[in-house]
Every structure is written in structure tokens, then in C-alpha cells.
């Protein structure tokens, strides 16, 4: 579904990713770890087609990113559930409208979609915040909302950058369980996190692999947890 | 994105762009100012056309004959000239301008105290022509033979420069309108650029959830175009109100700047044209900028 082949990315003369090869296929569950600034977000943005590498090839759903038009990239992103670390919202829209955005950009939003959004918001503990504006929410609430928005359109794969960074342990486990449940249904997940406890907690529930990014190099921390 | 798509609007697209942005307010103000100026340019053009037309109509059906001889010869020449005019095809009437009327014509220029009776003023014969007019060349030749002191002025030398001046002024007014439209287009291009820069986070979020660039552009274009149309309506209304306050008759023989009758209809398309310029320019700029954005 996503293939990175010998990808190199640098910013301002600093090498962020060097000769990275990675593939995300149906059923995969990857944890992506590494110190801050190691390039986890860059790798996720590459996978989302939000940036292009200086060298190497990125393929999204079998198509080379370099040959995709902006419309084609948008089409690919519609098949993904993406959560960035800096959870992005339209600050002037109520939370429910923000969560419905993946549907809004596709066409008219009907009552069924709205009901799905409300169910998901309730599940992540935001049922009482439907009319709240994003700036009034805490960091943890925003993260949960971002995950709800990413999962609402039933994506074919999930890319999540530190989705539990601001959450308490209980909520982190709850969201992790949701991602694992999705993975069991065949949805591949690539989740960047520095929370080793969370990775250990996932061990009994999923056959996940741990990737480590350091000095621009991607290595596999072990065949399994 | 067709005009029909634009008018219908993408579902939900209108809400994703914050409405209270400085750019959108400036767009409305800038368009109002341009529409205001456009209405005055149109009113000026209409006034010039009316002025030129009225002057040409006044001059077209008339001619003047001057008898420059002095003393007793003047009366005899005037008689002969009147006889010639009476028998010339194309001349409706010919009238000797009385000395008092002639003085009245000159008084605004020389003052009342000027001793007109001591001046060697020529005798004037005012001619009105039939719609077909007369053969000025043939009349000139005949007068040269029978009344050498007669000078025929068929007003052509006044009409030609007047027509040229009218054409130039109308051209200048049209150029001013084109300049206004160009400025409007430039303002809209800058507005699109500013709106996209102002809403970089909005674009990032929309792209994150899979919005196509045409959808994003439509949201911005619709907002800016509607603001432009609203601004243009206000500008036209303000200009029309101001023009309506100007007296309907002009001073010193000039027609009034205020449009008359159907001329008012000429300002009605201004908001539509302003909105069309805004739509085209904003759409083009927005799509180009989005394409250049990673």
C-alpha cells in the first residue's frame, strides 16, 4: 500500500532520512520509535504524500508519488487516516464539523455520517464537546478528536504521529486498543511513539513490529515485540 | 469549476474559510472603491457623448455668411447675398442678424461699454439648411462671383475637431474603465494570495483530510467573489446616490454629469462585471498558488 525505496530527505544541509526503505502492507502494525528530531514525522509525511524525497521513490497504493497530480495525492489521502503530532483543526468550526471534514470535502454530509461522527466522539470521550471550538480543548482532547477524525471515514490504512502523547494512560490504552481492533480487520497501522510502555502493553494484543529511526537510518528493533 | 458550480457552491466549502479575515474586508472595500470610480467614469463618458452630440446637432443644420464690405456696399452686398441664398437648393431659411442681436452676442466678450457702432463689424446672415443640406462648394463659387465680400462658414471646421475631441475623450474614458478593471484584477490576485497565506493552516487541514485543490480554491474563490460583488453593489449604490444629487441640468450650456433615463442602466452591470473579474482572477491565482504549494 505504501512503499518507500531508498528514500533520502534533508533539510538545510542536515540529513533527516538516509537511504530508507520501508513497506506498509495490509495487516501490518508498526511502531515507529526514535529520539526527538530523528525523522519520525518526516517519514510519516512522506507516507502521506505530503512531501517528496530528495532521492529515492515513494509509492502510494502502487503509484509513484512523483507522477501523482495534486488531485491524485488528495485521492490517496482520502484512503488514509492521518493524525499528525500538531493536531490540526479549523479553529473557527465547532469540533463536530472538524471531525466531519473528511466527509465534507467529499460531498454533502448526511444524517448517517453525522451519527457516525457523534458515536465516535462519544467513544473517545468527547460527546459533550460537539459544539466546542478546538482552541478551547485541552491537548489530550484535541488528540482524541484528531484520531476520531482520522478514523471516521473507515480508512484503508492509518498513519499516526504520537497520537497518545498528551493522553493519560487509560485513554492511551483505549485508543491503542481501537487501533489494534482496526488492524485485526486488516487495516495496516504505522504509529510513531516514544512511549515504550505503550509498545509493551500492545505486545499481548498484536503482532506488531518496532522500527527505530536514528541518525536518519531505519532499523528494525526486533522481529516482534 | 464552472460558473454553475460556483453559484451552487460546494457543500460545506463556504464554512471552511474564516469569514472575518482582514483580506476579505479589504476586498470588499477595494471593490467598492473601484465600482464607485467606474460609475463616475461611465457617467463622464455618457456626458461627453451627449455633449458632443448636442454640439454637432446644433452645428450640423446651420451655416453663417459674413458680409465684410463697408458702408453702402454692405447693404447692397447683403441684398445680393440674400437673393443668392433664396435661390440656392438645400437652404431652408436665411436671416440677417439685426445689429442689436449681433451686439448681444458680443457683449459677453467685450462688455456693455464697448462702442459697437464704431466697430467695423461684418453683417451676419444666419442660414438654416434642409436635412439634405446644400452644396457649400457651389455656393462658395457663386458668392465669389456675385458677392466677393461674402464669406461662407458652413461650420465644418468646428464640427471636425469637436468630433475628434469627443472620440478622444470617449477613448480616454474607456481606457480609464479598462484601468479600473485591471486594478480590480490585480487587487483580486493579491487578495487571493493574501487569503491563502492568511489561511495556511486551513489549507493544511483540508489537504490532510483529502480535499482536492479545486475544492479548496472554490471555497476561497466563492468567499472573495461574493465579498467583491457585495462591495461593488455598495460602491455603485454610493456613486449613484451621489450622481442623483447633482442637478439634472448642467452649468454654462454643458449637459449634467447625472445620467438621464436609460443611461442609468449602464451602471447596473458594474457589480456583475466586478464579480466576474474577481471570480476569474481569484480562481486563477488560487489554483496557481495551490499548485506551487507542497
Amino acid at each position: 500500500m505504501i512503499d518507500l525505496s531508498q528514500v533520502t530527505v534533508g533539510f538545510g544541509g542536515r540529513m533527516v532520512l538516509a537511504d530508507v526503505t520501508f513497506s506498509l502492507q495490509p495487516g501490518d502494525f508498526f511502531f515507529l520509535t526514535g529520539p526527538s528530531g530523528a525523522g519520525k514525522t518526516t517519514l510519516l509525511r512522506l507516507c502521506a504524500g505530503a512531501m517528496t524525497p530528495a532521492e529515492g521513490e515513494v509509492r502510494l497504493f502502487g503509484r509513484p508519488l512523483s507522477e501523482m497530480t495534486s488531485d491524485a495525492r488528495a485521492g490517496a489521502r482520502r484512503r488514509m487516516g492521518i493524525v499528525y503530532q500538531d493536531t490540526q483543526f479549523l479553529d473557527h468550526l465547532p469540533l463536530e464539523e472538524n471531525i466531519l471534514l473528511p466527509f465534507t470535502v467529499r460531498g454533502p454530509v448526511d444524517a448517517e455520517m453525522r451519527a457516525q461522527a457523534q458515536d465516535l466522539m462519544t467513544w473517545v470521550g468527547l460527546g459533550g464537546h460537539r459544539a466546542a471550538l478546538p482552541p478551547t480543548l485541552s491537548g489530550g482532547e484535541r488528540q482524541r478528536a484528531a484520531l476520531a477524525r482520522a478514523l471516521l471515514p473507515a480508512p484503508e490504512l492509518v498513519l499516526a504521529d504520537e497520537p497518545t502523547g498528551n493522553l493519560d494512560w487509560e485513554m492511551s490504552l483505549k485508543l491503542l486498543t481501537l487501533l489494534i481492533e482496526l488492524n485485526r480487520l486488516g487495516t495496516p497501522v504505522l504509529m510513531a511513539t516514544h512511549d515504550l510502555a505503550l509498545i509493551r502493553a500492545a505486545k499481548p494484543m498484536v503482532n506488531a513490529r518496532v522500527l527505530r529511526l536514528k541518525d536518519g537510518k531505519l532499523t528494525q528493533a526486533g522481529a516482534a515485540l | 469549476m464552472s460558473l454553475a458550480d460556483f453559484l451552487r457552491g460546494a457543500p460545506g466549502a463556504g464554512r471552511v474559510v474564516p469569514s472575518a479575515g482582514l483580506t476579505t474586508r479589504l476586498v470588499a472595500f477595494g471593490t467598492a472603491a473601484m465600482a464607485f470610480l467606474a460609475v463616475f467614469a461611465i457617467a463622464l463618458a455618457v456626458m461627453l457623448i451627449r455633449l458632443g452630440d448636442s454640439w454637432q446637432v446644433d452645428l450640423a443644420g446651420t451655416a453663417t455668411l459674413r458680409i465684410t464690405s463697408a458702408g453702402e456696399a454692405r447693404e447692397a452686398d447683403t441684398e445680393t447675398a440674400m437673393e443668392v441664398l433664396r435661390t440656392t437648393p438645400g437652404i431652408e431659411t436665411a436671416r440677417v442678424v439685426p445689429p442689436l442681436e449681433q451686439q448681444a452676442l458680443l457683449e459677453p466678450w467685450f462688455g456693455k461699454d464697448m462702442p459697437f457702432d464704431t466697430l467695423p463689424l461684418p453683417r451676419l446672415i444666419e442660414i438654416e439648411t434642409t436635412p439634405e443640406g446644400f452644396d457649400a462648394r457651389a455656393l462658395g463659387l457663386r458668392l465669389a462671383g456675385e458677392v466677393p465680400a461674402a464669406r461662407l462658414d458652413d461650420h465644418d471646421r468646428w464640427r471636425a475637431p469637436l468630433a475628434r475631441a469627443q472620440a478622444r475623450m470617449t477613448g480616454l474614458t474607456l481606457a480609464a474603465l479598462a484601468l479600473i478593471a485591471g486594478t480590480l484584477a490585480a487587487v483580486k490576485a493579491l487578495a487571493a494570495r493574501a487569503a491563502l497565506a492568511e489561511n495556511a493552516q486551513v489549507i493544511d487541514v483540508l489537504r490532510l483530510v483529502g480535499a482536492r485543490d479545486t475544492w479548496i480554491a472554490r471555497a476561497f474563490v466563492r468567499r472573495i467573489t461574493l465579498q467583491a460583488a457585495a462591495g461593488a453593489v455598495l460602491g455603485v449604490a454610493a456613486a449613484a446616490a451621489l450622481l442623483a444629487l447633482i442637478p439634472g441640468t448642467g452649468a454654462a450650456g454643458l449637459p449634467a454629469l447625472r445620467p438621464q433615463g436609460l443611461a442609468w442602466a449602464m451602471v447596473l452591470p458594474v457589480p456583475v462585471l466586478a464579480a466576474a473579474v474577481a471570480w476569474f482572477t481569484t480562481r486563477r491565482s488560487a489554483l496557481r498558488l495551490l499548485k506551487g504549494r507542497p
Side-chain angles (χ1 to χ4, degrees):
Chain A
M1 301 180 96
I2 293 178
D3 296 283
L4 275 59
S5 176
Q6 296 180 305
V7 164
T8 297
V9 175
F11 294 122
R14 188 174 76 88
M15 191 69 73
V16 178
L17 297 178
D19 202 28
V20 167
T21 296
F22 167 72
S23 179
L24 186 68
Q25 299 304 330
D28 285 343
F29 197 118
F30 284 108
F31 286 109
L32 180 61
T33 65
S36 292
K40 299 190 293 292
T41 299
T42 301
L43 183 65
L44 280 159
R45 289 179 67 82
L46 277 171
C47 291
M51 59 186 297
T52 49
E55 290 176 31
E57 186 182 58
V58 176
R59 297 178 80 89
L60 304 182
F61 301 103
R63 293 183 63 186
L65 182 64
S66 57
E67 294 175 11
M68 293 171 81
T69 62
S70 67
D71 274 3
R73 291 182 190 202
R77 277 195 284 272
R78 288 181 180 194
R79 300 168 69 179
M80 306 174 183
I82 305 167
V83 181
Y84 285 139
Q85 198 170 4
D86 50 340
T87 50
Q88 295 171 318
F89 294 97
L90 302 184
D91 290 344
H92 63 288
L93 285 186
L95 190 60
E96 184 179 336
E97 298 301 323
N98 266 286
I99 288 174
L100 280 164
L101 277 176
F103 288 143
T104 306
V105 300
R106 287 165 166 83
V109 175
D110 60 27
E112 191 182 339
M113 294 170 184
R114 210 165 275 280
Q116 281 177 39
Q118 286 164 11
D119 285 349
L120 206 48
M121 287 178 75
T122 303
W123 196 87
V124 296
L126 294 171
H129 293 77
R130 285 166 53 189
L133 293 176
T136 66
L137 301 175
S138 69
E141 287 167 334
R142 288 164 65 90
Q143 272 192 319
R144 281 182 273 155
L147 193 63
R149 183 177 66 191
L151 300 182
L152 181 64
E156 294 175 42
L157 60 89
V158 175
L159 305 172
D161 192 3
E162 302 278 5
T164 61
N166 289 317
L167 303 182
D168 58 37
W169 179 247
E170 191 181 346
M171 184 51 77
S172 296
L173 273 183
K174 192 175 178 181
L175 293 189
L176 176 66
T177 306
L178 175 63
L179 291 176
I180 289 171
E181 286 298 324
L182 280 172
N183 180 250
R184 282 180 183 150
L185 296 171
T187 307
V189 177
L190 173 59
M191 176 176 162
T193 181
H194 61 267
D195 189 346
L196 293 179
L198 194 71
I199 297 174
R200 287 191 201 101
K203 186 178 179 181
M205 296 186 279
V206 65
N207 183 24
R209 282 169 284 177
V210 180
L211 301 173
R212 182 171 172 77
L213 257 179
K214 191 177 181 189
D215 300 328
K217 297 285 185 186
L218 186 67
T219 56
Q220 191 154 321
L225 282 171
Chain B
M1 174 176 39
S2 68
L3 189 59
D5 285 340
F6 168 77
L7 292 172
R8 195 166 49 245
R15 296 195 310 273
V16 300
V17 182
S19 59
L22 178 65
T23 304
T24 50
R25 286 200 295 269
L26 288 177
V27 163
F29 175 76
T31 316
M34 290 296 135
F36 188 89
L37 293 175
V39 169
F40 270 93
I42 290 169
L44 188 63
V46 170
M47 185 203 81
L48 287 170
I49 290 167
R50 281 168 51 209
L51 176 65
D53 286 350
S54 73
W55 281 356
Q56 293 215 47
V57 164
D58 288 347
L59 291 174
T62 60
T64 308
L65 192 66
R66 279 181 292 129
I67 309 296
T68 56
S69 50
E72 290 179 0
R74 179 187 296 176
E75 295 305 320
D77 284 348
T78 303
E79 279 296 315
T80 310
M82 284 297 285
E83 188 54 37
V84 168
L85 292 174
R86 272 193 286 273
T87 55
T88 301
I91 290 180
E92 183 84 44
T93 62
R95 178 180 76 94
V96 179
V97 178
L100 283 177
E101 192 177 328
Q102 202 169 336
Q103 283 179 28
L105 286 172
L106 294 172
E107 263 180 16
W109 305 97
F110 295 105
K112 281 186 175 178
D113 299 332
M114 175 63 71
F116 289 105
D117 48 351
T118 63
L119 292 176
L121 294 176
R123 179 64 47 85
L124 296 180
I125 299 175
E126 195 177 86
I127 301 167
E128 285 188 15
T129 68
T130 61
E132 295 78 29
F134 63 91
D135 184 343
R137 188 175 144 73
L139 179 61
L141 287 172
R142 194 173 162 201
L143 287 170
E146 297 186 34
V147 193
R151 300 283 180 274
L152 178 66
D153 180 0
D154 65 357
H155 298 167
D156 257 2
R157 65 191 172 115
W158 300 109
R159 270 188 296 169
L162 197 62
R164 279 199 301 276
Q166 184 189 14
R168 279 183 196 146
M169 291 303 286
T170 309
L172 277 175
T173 313
L174 290 176
L177 282 172
L179 198 62
I180 289 170
T183 307
L184 196 61
V187 167
K188 294 298 166 284
L190 289 172
R193 189 177 288 268
L196 290 172
E198 200 175 273
N199 292 288
Q201 190 193 340
V202 172
I203 294 167
D204 287 343
V205 173
L206 294 175
R207 281 188 162 169
L208 175 71
V209 297
R212 294 197 166 97
D213 283 355
T214 45
W215 194 92
I216 298 171
R218 196 188 301 179
F220 283 92
V221 169
R222 188 174 158 83
R223 172 62 53 82
I224 291 174
T225 303
L226 292 178
Q227 288 284 344
V233 168
L234 283 177
V236 167
L242 210 58
L243 283 173
L245 291 176
I246 296 175
T249 51
L254 295 174
L257 186 60
R258 187 173 86 184
Q260 309 283 321
L262 283 177
W264 279 108
M266 292 183 71
V267 304
L268 293 179
V270 171
V272 179
L273 291 174
V277 169
W279 175 75
F280 178 77
T281 318
T282 312
R283 179 179 180 270
R284 196 157 170 254
S285 302
L287 286 175
R288 189 182 291 175
L289 287 167
L290 285 168
K291 193 177 177 185
R293 226 180 123 89

